[in-house]
């Protein structure tokens, strides 16, 4: 068993319940971690035997471009696609953070973290 992590994927998108968020958008950070059996690709050195992190990054980018009111909804869609498209993945965890959220205070970010297993 092993893990692949994509850390600090930075994306600008239009999630949120406020009208300004829908129009102007905000900056987001996404961290994605998957668990899979990596023994075979560790020995073979063949891309087709592992979980391609380019594919993982594309899932994150595509789902972040689909507008949602809640970070929870975006995070769930990312997890669902990873498990749906990559049979080798046994567990997925994603954290979606909104940078400088408009919540009336000096807050660096707010985030939602979800984890699902097969």
């Amino acid at each position: 068993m092993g893990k692949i992590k994509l850390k600090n994927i930075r994306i600008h998108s239009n999630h949120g319940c406020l009208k300004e968020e829908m129009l102007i958008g905000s900056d987001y950070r996404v961290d994605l971690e998957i668990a899979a059996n990596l023994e075979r690709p560790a020995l073979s050195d063949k891309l087709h035997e592992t979980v391609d992190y380019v594919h993982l990054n594309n899932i994150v980018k595509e789902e972040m471009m689909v507008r949602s009111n809640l970070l929870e909804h975006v995070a769930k869609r990312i997890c669902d696609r990873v498990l749906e498209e990559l049979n080798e993945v046994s567990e997925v965890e994603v954290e979606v953070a909104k940078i400088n959220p408009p919540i009336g205070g000096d807050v660096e970010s707010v985030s939602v973290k979800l984890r699902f297993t097969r």
Side-chain angles (χ1 to χ4, degrees), residues 12-14 18-27:
H12 187 85
S13 193
N14 297 72
L18 301 176
K19 186 176 181 182
E20 295 81 18
E21 293 176 299
M22 294 178 204
L23 296 173
I24 299 169
S26 299
D27 292 325

Side-chain angles (χ1 to χ4, degrees), residues 6-12 26-32 60 64 71 78 94-99 108-113:
L6 280 72
K7 295 182 180 182
N8 201 22
I9 303 167
R10 294 173 301 279
I11 298 175
H12 187 85
S26 299
D27 292 325
Y28 293 85
R29 186 198 79 243
V30 180
D31 295 323
L32 180 68
V60 170
M64 287 299 292
L71 297 180
I78 292 169
V94 66
E95 182 174 4
V96 179
K98 182 181 288 191
I99 310 303
E108 180 181 310
S109 66
V110 296
S111 66
V112 169
K113 185 185 283 189

Side-chain angles (χ1 to χ4, degrees), residues 18-110:
L18 301 176
K19 186 176 181 182
E20 295 81 18
E21 293 176 299
M22 294 178 204
L23 296 173
I24 299 169
S26 299
D27 292 325
Y28 293 85
R29 186 198 79 243
V30 180
D31 295 323
L32 180 68
E33 180 176 309
I34 64 95
N37 186 339
L38 302 179
E39 291 176 24
R40 189 171 178 184
L43 293 172
S44 72
D45 197 28
K46 295 185 177 164
L47 177 61
H48 72 274
E49 292 182 352
T50 193
V51 178
D52 186 352
Y53 50 79
V54 172
H55 189 163
L56 292 170
N57 189 54
N58 286 336
I59 289 172
V60 170
K61 290 191 308 185
E62 290 167 11
E63 292 304 325
M64 287 299 292
M65 290 301 107
V66 178
R67 206 197 79 68
S68 294
N69 290 327
L70 302 177
L71 297 180
E72 293 88 342
H73 188 68
V74 179
K76 174 78 165 69
R77 285 198 326 263
I78 292 169
C79 289
D80 287 348
R81 275 202 54 200
V82 169
L83 291 173
E84 185 178 303
E85 294 180 18
L86 300 163
N87 293 328
E88 309 87 1
V89 174
S90 58
E91 180 177 283
V92 59
E93 179 176 282
V94 66
E95 182 174 4
V96 179
K98 182 181 288 191
I99 310 303
N100 298 318
I103 60 174
D106 186 12
V107 178
E108 180 181 310
S109 66
V110 296

